[in-house]
Amino acid sequence: MPEPTFPNRLDERLAHGRTELLDRIEQPPLERIQHRARRHRRRSRHATTGALAAVAVTLTLLVRPWAGGNDPTPPPPVAGTPTPGPIYSDAGITVNGLDGPVVDVPGMITDVEFTDPDHGYLLAECVDGGACPASVARTADGGLTWQITELPTATRGRTGLGLLAFADGRLAVTGDTTYVSADGGRTWQVGGRAKPTPPQPGDRLYRQPAAPGGDDCDGGVSIWRPSEPADLGSVDVGGISVCWVASDSTGDGAWWIGGTRNGQAVAALTRDGGATWIESVLGPAEGPARVRVAVLGNQAYAVVSDVDGTIRRFFHSIDAGRTFTPVTAGPPVGGPERLAGDLVPLLDGRLLVAGTDNHWYVSADRGATFHRAAATLPPVGGLARTDAGYVAYQLFSNGWAAYSADGSTWRKLQIR
């Protein structure tokens, strides 16, 4: 009898028992496990990305600490945001630079007039002996954009012209021949003198240019009627040799002139178109003298200078110019030797002037002493009063001009 094979039977029993055991064990839900595994992998990726971003931000702040103010370079502007122009400033005087396209005008800007902060006009001439025509440009947005119109051919190569700007776009250009425009300078015609009539509100005084080769103070004073516009003829100034006439009346309707008579420096005002005058004698003058007056409220300033601008003395008034008191016995301390243009009284009580050395100067004591404002302010050729504010000429010494409504904040005109 053959011997039984126990190992084979044991293997069969073990295999059968293993099968039964696996059948009794409940299998896990594989679909749920796979879903959880996918979600876990997504969370891992997000956590890794967030950590990398945090590290990048931290490294950026270490390199460019904008929030700390240590780096003068700001972050780049948002797309579509206009880039501001450069700003030049010192001593509370600010000149805002160009921030848009510039218009080229033939010749050089010699006269700028603003009738309000938006509407302005300028005159350009060929001052270098060229033969370009004189031109007038106009703006209706405070000097951001300009339109240019050439004056009649007879002005080609002419210099010594003057610009008068009135409300409603009425203009006049004076010279050997006077030209007038009633549409903001778009069209021009020869203007003539009108028949003298009694002064009316709105009439303005104007210093007639001296004859070619004559003294700077030889010209007379005329009165203009804006509604034409037309020259109504000369005004009797009581024997004063007038070297300066204000470009605008004061708030109380006074027009100021300045000059000399019988060796005395004289400032005079009229409120009736030159029919009567109120005079203030400001002391002796050595030869012809230029007397300039500036009024802001009840504060008034006067300066006596030689025709070349050499400063002799400053005066101050607390009653709008009815009476003047000398500030010093001679030229101010720290100021320019020679004055370039008009006085500019500021709203904070200071006085601003420009010197022929192309610098800005401010005084906090009514003209007794001055401090030169420099820092980033550009060179300036001179300051002038206009109907609605002030104009700075020859900025940067190369023909630019700027406008200010208050004398403190200036806007560079986008034209040259």
Side-chain angles (χ1 to χ4, degrees):
M1 175 180 293
E3 184 176 357
T5 56
F6 294 104
N8 291 337
R9 293 178 183 174
L10 180 61
D11 290 341
E12 290 176 0
R13 290 177 180 176
L14 290 174
H16 180 73
R18 185 166 57 247
T19 301
E20 290 180 346
L21 178 62
L22 291 175
D23 289 340
R24 289 196 297 268
I25 297 174
E26 182 179 359
Q27 297 296 318
L30 295 179
E31 184 178 352
R32 185 184 305 170
I33 292 174
Q34 291 172 353
H35 173 71
R36 290 178 178 177
R38 288 194 297 269
R39 187 170 60 183
H40 178 72
R41 286 195 297 270
R42 285 197 301 269
R43 288 178 177 176
S44 298
R45 285 197 300 269
H46 293 167
T48 303
T49 303
L52 291 175
V55 171
V57 171
T58 302
L59 291 176
T60 301
L61 291 176
L62 289 174
V63 176
R64 299 291 297 277
W66 292 317
N70 297 322
D71 188 346
T73 306
V78 178
T81 302
T83 302
I87 298 176
Y88 314 93
S89 65
D90 190 32
I93 307 301
T94 301
V95 178
N96 293 297
L98 302 174
D99 59 0
V102 175
V103 176
D104 291 323
V105 61
M108 180 178 289
I109 298 172
T110 57
D111 202 349
V112 180
E113 301 289 337
F114 272 79
T115 56
D116 60 53
D118 291 325
H119 295 86
Y121 308 88
L122 64 80
L123 172 68
E125 306 172 75
C126 272
V127 298
D128 57 358
C132 68
S135 302
V136 168
R138 62 188 178 276
T139 180
D141 54 17
L144 297 178
T145 60
W146 295 84
Q147 292 77 44
I148 303 172
T149 301
E150 291 185 2
L151 287 169
T153 306
T155 64
R156 182 173 293 273
R158 294 292 181 89
T159 59
L161 304 177
L163 175 65
L164 286 169
F166 308 98
D168 303 324
R170 300 179 185 275
L171 307 173
V173 171
T174 63
D176 294 338
T177 301
T178 297
Y179 297 93
V180 296
S181 173
D183 55 11
R186 295 172 178 81
T187 59
W188 294 88
Q189 61 183 7
V190 175
R193 288 193 174 184
K195 181 179 179 180
T197 59
Q200 297 179 3
D203 289 351
R204 65 167 297 168
L205 300 185
Y206 179 68
R207 191 171 74 87
Q208 298 165 340
D215 187 273
D216 190 37
C217 300
D218 282 347
V221 178
S222 61
I223 186 168
W224 275 77
R225 180 68 44 80
S227 57
E228 316 306 330
D231 183 354
L232 301 183
S234 298
V235 173
D236 183 2
V237 293
I240 300 173
S241 177
V242 178
C243 298
W244 171 83
V245 174
S247 61
D248 187 25
S249 61
T250 62
D252 62 358
W255 281 94
W256 285 88
I257 64 173
T260 56
R261 185 181 57 206
N262 300 327
Q264 300 288 319
V266 178
L269 67 88
T270 181
R271 292 186 175 86
D272 54 13
T276 59
W277 294 90
I278 300 173
E279 298 181 4
S280 295
V281 177
L282 303 178
E286 299 179 4
R290 194 183 303 276
V291 178
R292 299 176 185 265
V293 177
V295 181
L296 181 62
N298 288 329
Q299 304 296 312
Y301 302 85
V303 61
V304 177
S305 67
D306 296 343
V307 175
D308 67 356
T310 301
I311 298 173
R312 296 303 179 189
R313 210 172 189 183
F314 271 91
F315 296 80
H316 180 255
S317 170
I318 59 173
D319 54 15
R322 293 176 179 83
T323 59
F324 281 98
T325 302
V327 176
T328 63
V333 176
E337 178 183 356
R338 290 186 294 170
L339 189 66
D342 288 336
L343 309 177
V344 181
L346 303 178
L347 296 175
D348 61 7
R350 297 183 301 161
L351 182 65
L352 173 68
V353 302
T356 57
D357 58 0
N358 302 125
H359 289 297
W360 309 71
Y361 292 85
V362 290
S363 172
D365 52 12
R366 303 174 177 179
T369 62
F370 279 86
H371 165 73
R372 194 177 85 179
T376 60
L377 286 176
V380 59
L383 305 177
R385 170 74 185 174
T386 183
D387 283 357
Y390 304 91
V391 175
Y393 290 94
Q394 283 296 309
L395 287 180
F396 299 93
S397 301
N398 59 2
W400 296 103
Y403 166 75
S404 174
D406 60 7
S408 295
T409 303
W410 299 75
R411 181 175 63 251
K412 192 175 179 183
L413 303 181
Q414 312 258 139
I415 186 171
R416 186 178 67 166

